[in-house]
Amino acid sequence: MKVTVVGAGAVGASCAEYIAIKNFASEVVILDIKEGYAEGKAMDLMQCASLNGFDTKITGSTNDYSKTANSDICVITSGIPRKPGMTREELIGINAGIVKSVSSSLVEHSPNTIIIVVSNPMDTMTYLVHKTTGLAKHRIIGMGGALDSARFKYRLAEALEAPISDVDGMVIGGHSDKGMVPLTSHATRNSIKVSEFLSEERLNQVAEDTKVGGATLTKLLGTSAWYAPGAAVSGLVQAIACDQKKIFPCSTLLNGEYGLSDLCIGVPVVLGRKGIEKIVDIPLSDAEKEHMKASAEGVKKTNDLLEL
Ligand SMILES: NC(=O)c1ccc[n+]([C@@H]2O[C@H](COP(=O)([O-])OP(=O)(O)OC[C@H]3O[C@@H](n4cnc5c(N)ncnc54)[C@H](O)[C@@H]3O)[C@@H](O)[C@H]2O)c1
Ligand SMILES: O=C(O)C[C@H](O)C(=O)O
């Protein structure tokens, strides 16, 4: 199993580290445009191998895509992150050009790959990868919902004063401050609906804190987060590599599902060796349906800014 990670920055390096530590991939190639940077990160990570007990071979490349040839999975993290006070959508001007050229170079060398898009604004970048590469739709996956759901569970556990392992919940919709749809009606504590434990007001607060999870961290860190994003990407990569058939909310091209078409947005999907093996339709409350519709309108507005 060969995995390429484009972008050796905060998220790319964290994701490569988690993939290596989980020890399911034979090879990880990290590629960056900055001279020597990916090689340096790869060497530093390889020097963790004996300490952390993994055998994954990690190599770095300065923009040489021949080293990525025949990758089973490619992760795109290249692009600029936001600064405090910015929205993810404001990154489109720079990141669209980067994602476009990176995705075509990847597919040129790995025509049968599965691509996981991380660069922001993620839903629009995932749509752009469809338009650029023409890969089958089940091979292009946007990562946002897995991270947002982890943040939702963190906030739920905090409100419930419960261990995170006791809590389950999912966030669908666009990966943006306003577009996320935390499914509070489906969230549970050990199979009991969380509404049994929390007032509507407290649940609304959990949802609002979840939606601004990325912005909260960006304000604290001065740039956007990387540990949980890296862990979330490694979870998707592992589900594909190990054919786990796990359900994650991922951004995928919709064709009528959830009443939406011609956009990529987060919905629950089954991930296995073929990539997105099924889009799972779940019943939404009227309020959640309304939020999903508004979220889709927001994503489409950002897609309209693309020069296709
Ligand atoms: N989808 C998500 O949930 C999620 C989570 C976190 C971050 N992000 C996004 O991921 C992106 C990366 O964030 P980061 O914190 O790692 O940023 P970073 O600045 O630490 O790293 C980005 C790296 O991309 C490289 N790069 C730029 N152009 C390139 C090109 N053409 N080819 C190869 N490499 C190139 C840079 O040299 C840099 O090393 C941002 O757009 C950020 O908003 C998304
Ligand atoms: O918040 C950001 O800009 C980065 C990422 O999308 C996140 O949610 O951490």
Side-chain angles (χ1 to χ4, degrees), residues 140-175:
I140 300 174
I141 303 163
M143 194 297 289
L147 170 64
D148 303 331
S149 301
R151 289 180 177 152
F152 186 35
K153 286 180 246 188
Y154 163 77
R155 289 298 184 189
L156 280 169
E158 180 183 59
L160 289 160
E161 297 182 41
I164 292 185
S165 57
D166 222 19
V167 171
D168 206 4
M170 199 193 294
V171 178
I172 62 170
H175 180 63

Side-chain angles (χ1 to χ4, degrees), residues 218-259:
T218 302
K219 195 168 165 207
L220 290 167
L221 297 166
T223 182
S224 57
W226 56 90
Y227 293 121
V233 177
S234 76
L236 304 195
V237 173
Q238 186 174 21
I240 298 164
C242 304
D243 199 21
Q244 287 176 326
K245 320 277 188 205
K246 276 195 181 181
I247 292 183
F248 290 91
C250 292
S251 191
T252 183
L253 188 65
L254 295 185
N255 185 16
E257 300 90 347
Y258 289 83

